Amino acid sequence: MPANKNALIRYKTIDNCLRNRYRRWTLDDLVDACSDALYDMEGIVKGVCARTVQKDIQIMRSDKLGYNAPIEVYDKIYYRYSEPDYSITEMPLSSDDCDLLRQAISLIKTQENYEEIKNVLSKVQNRLQSLLNYG
């Protein structure tokens, strides 16, 4: 678990950096930001290496975690999102995701303890509906 949690901290840190269009981010800057975040959040002193951040960027660019982040290198040294409004934390649900959520809600409704989770299901359904109406 710690390795996964640390990776998520790094992904979020890289995301926050690349969303800041008022600064130019080099690989070294991203390494420093990730090291600082890991120290602040987890007390990890050793930091991260450039190769780790490069792998994180590669994963964020890929479909492996569903991010498909539009990370580009410009002026041969700086990183940014090619889509200024992109963020890994604000990804819309796909139609497949919506279908899976509907199936999950239907399955949960058939359970005996339905009354205990009725409020949670209602909130999920309302959120799903608002997302569908928005998109």
Side-chain angles (χ1 to χ4, degrees):
M1 175 69 178
N4 291 337
K5 182 169 61 170
N6 293 345
L8 292 174
I9 291 169
R10 292 192 313 269
Y11 300 154
K12 187 173 181 202
T13 301
I14 293 167
D15 179 61
N16 287 335
C17 292
L18 299 182
R19 290 176 62 202
N20 180 355
R21 304 290 278 194
Y22 299 105
R23 178 168 175 189
R24 292 177 160 214
W25 296 96
T26 65
L27 181 61
D28 288 339
D29 294 331
L30 295 173
V31 168
D32 291 343
C34 288
S35 295
D36 291 346
L38 287 170
Y39 177 76
D40 292 344
M41 297 173 129
E42 298 296 317
I44 297 173
V45 180
K46 69 177 184 164
V48 297
C49 65
R51 185 68 188 129
T52 299
V53 173
Q54 288 174 322
K55 286 181 182 180
D56 290 343
I57 290 170
Q58 184 178 12
I59 289 171
M60 290 172 70
R61 283 177 170 157
S62 75
D63 190 34
K64 189 171 187 176
L65 299 176
Y67 294 148
N68 295 311
I71 300 171
E72 67 179 4
V73 178
Y74 67 102
D75 294 341
K76 298 181 183 178
I77 191 171
Y78 301 109
Y79 290 82
R80 69 178 174 200
Y81 285 135
S82 61
E83 299 171 18
D85 294 332
Y86 181 84
S87 174
I88 62 171
T89 61
E90 298 175 13
M91 295 173 43
L93 291 174
S94 69
S95 60
D96 289 341
D97 294 336
C98 292
D99 289 340
L100 286 173
L101 283 172
R102 284 189 194 100
Q103 290 174 14
I105 290 168
S106 296
L107 180 64
I108 292 170
K109 282 183 177 180
T110 64
Q111 302 302 310
E112 291 178 19
N113 61 350
Y114 172 69
E115 289 302 318
E116 296 174 19
I117 56 177
K118 188 175 183 179
N119 290 334
V120 174
L121 284 175
S122 177
K123 289 178 185 177
V124 170
Q125 285 177 312
N126 290 339
R127 179 70 177 135
L128 178 59
Q129 190 59 44
S130 69
L131 289 172
L132 291 174
N133 290 339
Y134 179 73

